[in-house]
Amino acid sequence: MKQNTLLFDGGMGTYFSRKNHMAGMSCEMAALRQPDLISEIHKEYLEAGSRAIKTDTFAVNRVLFQGAEDLVRRVIRSAWELASAAAAEYDAYVFADIGPIGGLSEEQSAFEEYRFVTDQFLELGARHFLFETNSDTDGLAEITAYIREKSPEAYIIVSFAVQADGYSRDGLWAAELFDAMRCCPADALGLNCVCGARHMLELVREMDHEGIALSLMPNAGYPTVINNRTFYEGDPQYFASQLQEMAAEGAAILGGCCGTMPIHIEMARKALEKGGRTNAAVAKASPGRLPSEEAAESLFWNKLQAGEKVFAVELDSPADANMIRFMKGAWELKGAGTDIITIADCPVARARMDSSLLACKIRRELNMDALPHMTCRDRNLNATKALLFGLYAEGIRNILLITGDPIPTAERDEVKSVYQFNSRKLAAFVTSLGKKSLPGSFHLFGALNLNARNFDVQIRLAKEKIEKGMVGFLTQPVLTEQAFENLKRAHEELDARLLGGVIPVVSAKNARFMDSEINGINVDPKITELYEGKDRAEAERLATEISVEIMRRISPYVDGYYLMTPFGRTGLIAGILEAFRLLVTP
């Protein structure tokens, strides 16, 4: 098996949809409800030339089955028996097919969910496993080690799904995914789904796959949608010719994914029997950086690197197309000594002027650094990548990455969230993009909630973000003693730059509103009491005093200060900066 090219079957799900006449049934449930049809599909692929077939269990796990463990066991048993019976007639291998397990809560473990599914197959006698269509490596090293311990003779394939540019839906580059699994006890690593055959072949030629038993199972081209149904219309003969080239490139295991039918496998078998042509004349593409101009650096980052305290000020973007007040405020903040202006990305999930476009405008017109916030809520991988290219070209070098507030419940039928990433995965993607596709890298910042009820979780998540490439954090405001203590702890435990959060309270009403209705902000009742009965001028003087005192107190534990502008009052922020400088200047 390990010495010859092993030909798998094609896409069970898409072929089942073509043949099935019961609308709405998933192919996995058909193992119980339409077993004859599943057996028929297995046999068609085997007749076409497959010598390995996958069980009809791609999406069978406790998460997708909403905890129905008995149903998971029943579907796996039926699918295993159907595949085993079909394969026995052709002396073919049966692989336990296990797809990615998503939608896990913070308390759930990918490994534990994989182990539950794997244990069902091991009890049935499975000795061949395919973990396919993965977009990250969560739980895969652990589950392959577990299988190896339970069944030393097992053969294990781990396969990832990446787009034509080599990135998975979680923003991880194919070569990085392979590198992360090289030390794990999988017998073969590979790619499947998403890509058509030619793009997958080109990706493999870019990657270092020396020493890897390579498994490649591309789609039959790219899908078209007709009357709400998805069709793949890739030519089987062309598909076969690309698999022939993959074999010449060194692939030990070949097959098909979405859209590939028995005819694709039959054509592939005939092409492989003829032998693959050599690819000695094919030059490998370099995944290196762009041949580029010198990467511009940011003054803000240089100042941080030099150990100087920095001043970042958040200024809300306009809620309409009028940016006169915003730009006037930005000029005032620059004159007050602000090092970088930060701009939220549609806070509380309400549309405002785009933070990235405003950041570019500030960079061009004010010759000043800007820090656009980028949420995971509104963009998929393609849109994020396109935006990052534009930001880099415009001279933006610093970005704050956050998951983003959810869309309000009443609007969900009209406005859709994306959430393809969380902030950790987005950081990993942007870091990888900087290494592979840009002249230089972005400096990535995250948010740190000092007011979280369970600050242990915040520290753990922050450490994970640092591992993914973040270099610093902007904290929520320090307006309570607990927030101050949490800031001190973050300073001790996090190997990253910290910009301590400061928001001027401008009235008692404002304090109560923030404490009650803004997630991540807590206000000490003693502060609220100080504002009772104060007019605007008195409240602003008090806001300046309190903010300056907070900045003085947190100074030993931060690398800079992150001030939030209330109600667009840039004059208040300028006054606070001036008062603080007078306090700390000898």
Side-chain angles (χ1 to χ4, degrees), residues 41-60:
I41 291 173
H42 284 320
K43 289 180 180 179
E44 286 187 48
Y45 280 119
L46 289 162
E47 283 290 333
S50 297
R51 286 301 168 262
I53 60 173
K54 304 181 289 288
T55 57
D56 178 24
T57 53
F58 174 79
V60 181

Side-chain angles (χ1 to χ4, degrees), residues 189-192 200 204 214-218 243 246 251 253-256:
L189 299 177
L191 303 174
N192 76 286
M200 189 173 288
V204 169
L214 193 61
S215 170
L216 301 175
M217 302 184 195
L243 261 61
M246 291 177 186
I253 300 165
L254 293 168

Side-chain angles (χ1 to χ4, degrees), residues 494-511:
L494 299 180
D495 183 20
R497 310 287 182 177
L498 290 177
L499 275 62
V502 179
I503 186 167
V505 176
V506 296
S507 68
K509 180 180 178 181
N510 172 232

Side-chain angles (χ1 to χ4, degrees), residues 283-426:
K284 292 197 175 187
S286 169
R289 298 176 183 272
L290 299 173
S292 61
E293 71 279 1
E294 189 75 18
E297 193 48 272
S298 85
L299 296 177
F300 163 79
W301 179 250
N302 288 342
K303 193 171 179 179
L304 261 181
Q305 288 288 79
E308 300 179 50
K309 291 283 199 291
V310 295
F311 296 94
V313 178
E314 183 164 309
L315 188 59
D316 285 340
S317 56
D320 54 25
N322 186 346
M323 64 176 66
I324 295 175
R325 185 184 181 200
F326 177 89
M327 292 304 293
K328 181 179 178 181
W331 275 109
E332 185 173 16
L333 292 173
K334 180 179 180 180
T338 300
D339 294 294
I340 193 167
I341 290 178
T342 86
I343 311 166
D345 184 7
C346 297
V348 297
R350 299 296 176 90
R352 301 181 76 94
M353 191 174 291
D354 186 83
S355 59
S356 294
L357 290 176
L358 277 177
C360 294
K361 185 176 180 66
I362 288 171
R363 185 81 177 88
R364 286 195 308 269
E365 296 186 12
L366 277 66
N367 191 28
M368 181 184 185
D369 282 317
L371 179 75
H373 300 196
M374 183 178 292
T375 72
C376 305
R377 178 189 56 237
D378 302 320
R379 302 176 192 87
N380 63 13
L381 184 146
N382 280 349
T384 300
K385 184 176 181 181
L387 181 58
L388 289 166
F389 283 155
L391 285 171
Y392 196 93
E394 285 285 342
I396 301 299
R397 296 292 180 266
N398 307 282
I399 305 175
L400 186 140
L401 306 178
I402 54 175
T403 301
D405 301 313
I407 300 293
T409 303
E411 297 181 3
R412 287 178 185 167
D413 290 339
E414 299 176 5
V415 183
K416 301 298 183 183
S417 298
V418 176
Y419 287 122
Q420 183 167 348
F421 299 112
N422 58 36
S423 56
R424 286 157 287 165
K425 292 180 178 180
L426 180 55

